[in-house]
């Protein structure tokens, strides 16, 4: 009888990690995890017409399982396979899994696997793994195509509309709870309101003031270089006053507050949502809208105009300083020019916008917080999306105001 | 369940000496000694707030104690640097009191996370092995595709165990694995831990308040009280200790009920 013999050394010739370190540094366990005490696995395959005999040696553990499986895949499926495990020094679940899946494959092909020389440990592990082999139910395949593509566009449009409707819904919720708070002042959480006023208002003063001051400086500087060309330096006062009071003061403040506060609202409410604290509040008879939204949004509505006012003052101050240094317009002259030349309606046009922007920022922040699901990733996603949406909505509202004021000649 | 192996010639896998843990002025552990042997299931009991979870975290290298030495599988956990700990982490798995699964990954991906540290492991095999671990802890196949928040509390515990077992560690630390499970589920879980411990040769460090678990699967019990390990021993030995807390714990109404169940079960298996 012909004895076709194939002998393969499996592990050493593939790009295998070096393992002789175990001799030189026997006590250091950290060189390669799981590879500490034994030689890597090694499979010798001898095949005859009747059966294939595999002799397995060394550590059959997770780092080698990829090679073991690759080796098993080359086995012929048309005859009995005998596996000799007597030389195996370590045997873990992954090895048991490899052998159990080989057995399944052989049995579907009408053959079987005989195992020899497995100790009590590997034997019982093999048994537990065989019992636990998962029955894989393939997931239904989603068909892609033009219809799905169109449907995706449609559903994202619907999502956008629902989003806007939800925001309006939250606004309504805020108003209704606010009215209730006015009618039942005892239930109102004044401490929370004061706390949030401090958080969103007081603590934002330094950054807002610095930002507005720098904007004033930049405006004066840029304006003066342009206006000098016409000898109209003195109009730099009007330029600064109108642009800061009407637009920039409140708009830039709102953008900073959107970045600071919308994200803080979303993170705070979202992490409560994540840990089921919102559900706990509901079950205790506390209304999340009244306890969480009203103090936050109201604090913003109260604080944003004040912050805007501070920004206006600081912007004018920066502008005046730069005008003095760069153009020699003295502070007294700047003051006279400002008072005489700038109508108070500019200030009003700016300040009217503040509560609206505050509502937008607050509602967007609270709404995004309530959309957080119970995983950490959605918290991050909603926080960044609330900032983006809040800033975008503020700029859009500002554009609407500009057009409106231009139309009515305000 | 007590094994009559002489403890002197068994390999010590965890050795704690003179451990002191302190949070501000609150001393949680003081001069705590404990040895744990290879292959045994040790139940840690103690009142709420006696520092069982803190002890577990300290042994697993997640909490730095104020003093003392902790030796796990020959590694001095306290002096080991970050890299050593990462590599040694393959030798033990931790199941946290509240699961601590990664909430933005599916259960299968959670189980795959530790396996990603193994170089050159084929992703298909990794996935299949994760499915196997999920099935070994008694979860259905479809659970692998779910996010932790979509599972029940008991399923999350099983998923946490699957992740702790991902790398076939030599030691697993389980923090109250059966808390919040129904009695049948808890008994299943006990048998699961026992079976895995016997077939994988696992050493199990088990924090529990569940007297049935203590009866059913623990080889040895260590009582944490008065800031140290007060006594260790088998269930029979615990019943003889006359420290008031230990006595109340093992002779309370619930303890007696658990003992009765256990005796009845033993009688039933002998018949
Ligand atoms: N990070 C920490 N900072 C401050 N104190 C802590 C910290 N972790 C734990 N403690 C304190 O240490 C003590 C022990 O806490 P630990 O969580 O270990 O209790 P336990 O025994 O596990 O209780 P339980 O059975 O309720 O889980 C408690 O008093 C706790 O307040
Ligand atoms: Mg605890």
């Amino acid at each position: 009888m012909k004895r076709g013999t194939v002998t393969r050394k499996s592990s050493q010739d593939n790009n295998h990690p070096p393992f002789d370190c175990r001799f030189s540094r026997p006590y250091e366990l950290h060189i390669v995890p799981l590879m500490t005490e034994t030689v890597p696995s090694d499979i010798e395959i001898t095949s005859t017409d009747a059966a294939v005999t595999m002799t397995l040696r060394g550590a059959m553990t997770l780092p080698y399982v990829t090679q073991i499986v690759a080796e098993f895949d080359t086995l012929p499926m048309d005859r009995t396979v005998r596996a000799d495990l007597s030389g195996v020094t370590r045997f873990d679940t992954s090895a048991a899994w490899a052998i159990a899946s080989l057995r399944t494959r052989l049995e579907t092909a009408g053959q079987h696997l005989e195992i020899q020389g497995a100790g009590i440990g590997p034997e019982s592990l093999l048994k537990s793994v065989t019992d636990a082999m998962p029955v894989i139910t393939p997931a239904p395949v989603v068909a892609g195509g033009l219809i799905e593509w169109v449907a995706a566009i449609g559903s994202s449009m619907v999502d956008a509309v629902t989003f806007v409707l939800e925001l309006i819904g939250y606004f309504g919720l805020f108003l209704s709870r606010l009215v209730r708070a006015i009618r039942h002042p005892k239930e109102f959480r004044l401490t929370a309101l004061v706390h949030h006023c401090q958080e969103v208002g007081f603590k934002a003063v330094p950054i807002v003031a610095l930002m507005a001051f720098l904007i004033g400086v930049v405006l004066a500087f840029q304006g003066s270089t342009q206006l000098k060309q016409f000898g109209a330096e003195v109009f730099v006062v009007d330029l600064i006053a109108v642009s800061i009071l009407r637009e920039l003061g409140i708009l830039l403040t709102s953008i900073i507050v959107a970045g600071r506060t919308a994200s803080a609202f979303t993170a705070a409410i979202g992490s409560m949502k994540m840990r089921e604290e919102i559900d706990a509040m509901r079950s205790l008879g506390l209304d999340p809208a009244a306890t969480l939204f009203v103090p936050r949004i109201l604090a913003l509505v109260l604080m944003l105009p004040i912050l805007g006012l501070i920004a206006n003052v600081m912007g004018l101050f920066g502008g005046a300083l730069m005008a003095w240094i760069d153009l020699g317009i003295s502070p007294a002259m700047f003051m006279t020019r400002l008072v005489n030349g700038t109508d108070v309606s500019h200030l009003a046009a700016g300040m009217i916008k503040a509560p609206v922007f505050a509502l937008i920022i607050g509602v967007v922040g609270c709404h995004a917080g309530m959309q957080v699901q119970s995983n950490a990733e959605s918290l991050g996603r909603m926080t960044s999306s609330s900032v983006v949406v809040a800033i975008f909505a503020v700029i859009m509202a500002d554009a609407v105001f500009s057009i409106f004021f231009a139309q009515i000649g305000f | 369940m007590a094994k009559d192996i002489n403890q002197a010639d068994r390999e010590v896998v965890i050795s704690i000496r003179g451990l002191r843990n302190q949070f501000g002025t609150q001393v949680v552990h003081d001069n705590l000694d404990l040895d744990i042997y290879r292959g045994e299931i040790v139940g840690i009991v103690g009142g709420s707030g006696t520092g069982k979870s803190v002890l577990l975290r300290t042994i697993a290298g997640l909490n730095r104690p104020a003093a003392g030495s902790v030796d796990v599988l020959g590694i001095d956990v306290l002096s080991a640097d970050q890299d050593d700990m990462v590599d040694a982490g393959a030798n033990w798995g931790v199941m946290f009191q509240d699961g601590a699964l990664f909430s933005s990954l599916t259960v299968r991906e959670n189980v795959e996370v530790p396996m990603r540290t193994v170089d050159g492991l084929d992703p298909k095999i990794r996935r299949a092995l994760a499915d196997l671990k999920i099935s070994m802890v008694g979860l259905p196949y479809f659970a692998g595709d779910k996010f932790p928040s979509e599972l029940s509390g008991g399923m999350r515990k099983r998923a946490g165990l699957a992740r702790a077992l991902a790398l076939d560690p030599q030691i697993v630390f389980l923090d109250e694995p059966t808390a919040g499970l129904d009695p049948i589920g808890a008994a299943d879980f006990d048998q699961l831990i026992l079976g895995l411990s016997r077939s994988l040769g696992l050493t199990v460090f088990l924090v529990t308040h569940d007297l049935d678990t203590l009866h059913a699967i623990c080889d040895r019990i260590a009582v944490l009280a008065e800031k140290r390990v007060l006594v260790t021993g088998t269930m029979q030995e615990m019943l003889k200790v006359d420290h008031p807390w230990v006595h109340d714990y093992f002779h309370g109404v619930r303890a007696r009920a658990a003992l009765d169940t256990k005796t009845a079960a033993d009688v039933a298996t002998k018949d």
Side-chain angles (χ1 to χ4, degrees):
Chain A
M1 191 200 252
K2 193 176 126 251
R3 281 178 67 97
T5 304
V6 193
T7 305
R8 280 180 302 219
K9 294 280 176 198
S10 71
S11 5
Q12 272 86 346
D13 43 11
N14 300 335
N15 51 354
H16 200 270
F19 45 83
D20 44 323
C21 44
R22 80 206 141 85
F23 296 116
S24 53
R25 300 192 288 184
Y27 49 86
E28 290 192 36
L29 280 162
H30 60 272
I31 302 158
V32 176
L34 302 178
M35 231 188 78
T36 50
E37 42 228 88
T38 35
V39 280
S41 70
D42 173 75
I43 305 178
E44 199 176 300
I45 298 173
T46 321
S47 66
T48 65
D49 290 344
V52 179
T53 309
M54 287 195 295
T55 313
L56 296 115
R57 276 190 291 264
M60 291 184 68
T61 48
L62 194 57
Y64 312 111
V65 73
T66 311
Q67 286 165 11
I68 294 173
V69 169
E71 207 67 36
F72 284 177
D73 281 346
T74 64
L75 290 174
M77 284 294 121
D78 55 356
R79 58 200 95 167
T80 305
V81 175
R82 289 200 190 95
D84 180 5
L85 300 186
S86 50
V88 172
T89 49
R90 287 193 65 193
F91 190 81
D92 72 0
T93 336
S94 64
W97 167 82
I99 289 184
S101 10
L102 176 65
R103 172 179 282 153
T104 320
R105 274 203 301 140
L106 279 167
E107 279 167 5
T108 27
Q111 302 298 326
H112 50 103
L113 177 70
E114 289 168 15
I115 292 168
Q116 298 154 353
I120 308 163
E123 189 85 60
S124 79
L125 182 56
L126 201 53
K127 188 175 172 308
S128 345
V129 167
T130 312
D131 292 345
M133 280 303 263
V135 186
I136 294 169
T137 41
V141 186
V142 186
L146 188 64
I147 296 182
E148 273 72 25
W149 187 66
V150 174
I153 294 179
S155 81
S156 64
M157 296 309 286
V158 172
D159 285 351
V161 173
T162 345
F163 176 70
V164 173
L165 289 180
E166 272 179 18
L167 283 186
I168 296 171
Y170 269 70
F171 177 58
L173 195 64
F174 165 69
L175 285 185
S176 85
R177 296 305 186 270
L178 186 64
V179 169
R180 192 195 302 162
I182 293 167
R183 284 178 37 208
H184 304 94
K186 273 199 189 127
E187 286 171 25
F188 185 68
R189 315 187 140 245
L190 192 64
T191 328
L193 178 69
V194 173
H195 168 76
H196 289 299
C197 284
Q198 181 181 356
E199 286 298 315
V200 306
F202 191 68
K203 291 194 177 167
V205 169
I207 178 76
V208 166
L210 181 65
M211 178 271 318
F213 175 79
L214 292 176
I215 290 294
V217 168
V218 169
L219 270 181
F221 189 71
Q222 293 292 343
S224 68
T225 35
Q226 297 302 318
L227 293 171
K228 255 185 208 158
Q229 297 172 10
F230 314 105
E233 289 95 328
V234 80
F235 283 104
V236 83
V237 180
D238 302 75
L239 172 78
I240 293 167
V242 172
S243 53
I244 289 206
L245 294 182
R246 258 195 119 86
E247 289 289 338
L248 293 180
I250 193 63
L251 181 63
L252 292 174
T253 306
S254 299
I255 288 175
I256 285 193
V257 169
R260 262 186 107 249
T261 308
S263 58
F265 286 4
T266 308
I269 295 175
S271 55
M272 292 183 78
K273 178 96 194 302
M274 213 163 86
R275 282 179 283 147
E276 297 184 326
E277 287 174 44
I278 305 266
D279 294 337
M281 288 174 75
R282 285 209 180 95
S283 74
L284 295 171
L286 291 168
D287 175 26
T291 40
L292 298 177
F293 303 170
V294 172
R296 285 187 168 78
I297 300 177
L298 197 59
L300 253 184
V301 174
L302 296 176
M303 286 297 121
L304 195 60
I306 299 177
L307 286 176
L309 214 54
I310 292 173
N312 287 345
V313 172
M314 289 305 289
L316 292 178
F317 175 65
L321 197 69
M322 199 61 202
W324 191 20
I325 294 169
D326 199 37
L327 298 170
I329 301 175
S330 75
M333 191 169 147
F334 190 95
M335 199 64 191
T336 328
R337 179 91 204 159
L338 182 70
V339 173
N340 295 339
T342 318
D343 197 84
V344 79
S345 73
H346 293 305
L347 178 65
M351 295 315 287
I352 286 173
K353 297 191 257 184
V356 178
F357 291 175
L359 281 174
I360 291 175
I361 297 169
V363 168
V364 167
C366 292
H367 172 263
M370 292 299 281
Q371 306 310 305
V372 171
Q373 281 128 25
S374 41
N375 64 68
E377 198 194 329
S378 78
L379 180 63
R381 204 175 47 234
M382 289 322 296
T383 307
S384 70
S385 121
S386 90
V387 174
V388 173
V389 171
I391 291 179
F392 176 75
V394 161
I395 293 178
M396 204 145 96
D398 191 56
V400 172
F401 269 115
S402 297
I403 296 167
F404 177 70
F405 288 154
Q407 291 294 326
I408 64 169
F410 184 51
Chain B
M1 200 47 57
K3 284 199 231 160
D4 40 7
I5 302 171
N6 187 353
Q7 284 179 359
D9 43 68
R10 295 174 65 192
E11 184 192 346
V12 175
V13 288
I14 301 177
S15 155
I16 304 169
R17 290 290 172 269
L19 183 74
R20 180 184 173 85
N21 265 309
Q22 198 168 355
F23 295 104
T25 55
Q26 180 196 7
V27 178
V28 180
H29 301 132
D30 195 19
N31 210 5
L32 180 148
D33 296 343
L34 181 64
D35 278 328
I36 291 182
Y37 301 95
R38 185 174 289 283
E40 69 176 351
I41 303 181
V42 179
I44 311 291
V45 302
S48 249
T50 47
K52 303 180 293 299
S53 301
V54 172
L55 178 62
L56 185 153
R57 291 173 54 84
T58 310
I59 303 174
L62 302 170
N63 179 52
R64 187 153 277 280
S69 73
V70 178
D71 211 76
V72 183
L73 296 165
I75 302 173
D76 182 0
V77 176
L78 304 181
S79 66
D81 61 30
Q82 189 65 33
D83 290 349
D84 288 346
M85 285 307 287
V86 168
D87 292 346
N91 290 319
W92 60 78
V94 184
M95 180 188 146
F96 292 93
Q97 192 160 6
D98 38 17
L101 294 165
F102 302 118
S103 57
S104 49
L105 301 180
T106 63
V107 170
R108 182 181 299 111
E109 288 164 344
N110 262 286
V111 179
E112 282 183 58
V113 168
M115 298 189 199
R116 284 174 194 273
T117 58
V118 178
D119 283 339
L121 184 62
D122 183 353
K124 272 206 253 33
I125 295 178
R126 188 171 67 211
R127 198 186 142 93
L129 284 172
D131 282 334
L132 172 69
K133 298 278 153 130
I134 291 167
S135 148
M136 279 175 88
V137 297
L139 287 172
Y141 178 73
F142 68 80
D145 289 320
K146 296 207 172 211
F147 286 95
S149 55
E150 299 166 346
L151 298 179
S152 76
M155 290 167 92
R156 267 203 290 277
K157 283 194 191 283
R158 286 171 189 265
L161 182 62
R163 188 179 68 182
L165 292 175
L167 291 179
D168 276 4
Q170 303 177 39
I171 308 175
V172 281
F173 298 96
L174 309 177
D175 200 346
E176 302 196 17
T178 53
L181 297 187
D182 66 278
I184 300 173
D188 280 356
F189 210 94
D190 287 346
Q191 290 313 313
L192 173 72
I193 293 168
L194 184 65
L196 289 171
S197 145
R198 298 293 179 251
S199 61
L200 301 172
L202 274 179
T203 307
V204 181
F205 181 100
L206 180 93
V207 174
T208 188
H209 290 302
D210 188 335
L211 287 152
D212 292 314
T213 306
L214 292 174
H215 276 295
I217 65 169
C218 289
D219 299 318
R220 220 149 55 88
I221 295 167
V223 180
L224 215 61
E226 297 168 6
K227 300 178 181 152
R228 60 198 172 89
V229 176
L230 199 65
V231 277
T232 63
T234 60
M235 195 71 199
Q236 273 65 37
E237 288 161 0
M238 286 301 123
L239 292 170
K240 291 177 202 132
V241 176
D242 58 359
H243 182 276
W245 190 87
V246 182
H247 186 272
D248 287 354
Y249 193 96
F250 291 101
H251 289 89
V253 182
R254 284 156 164 259
R256 223 164 299 131
L259 184 61
D260 292 347
T261 336
K262 165 75 175 161
T263 328
D266 283 353
V267 170
T269 44
K270 266 179 205 142
D271 289 345

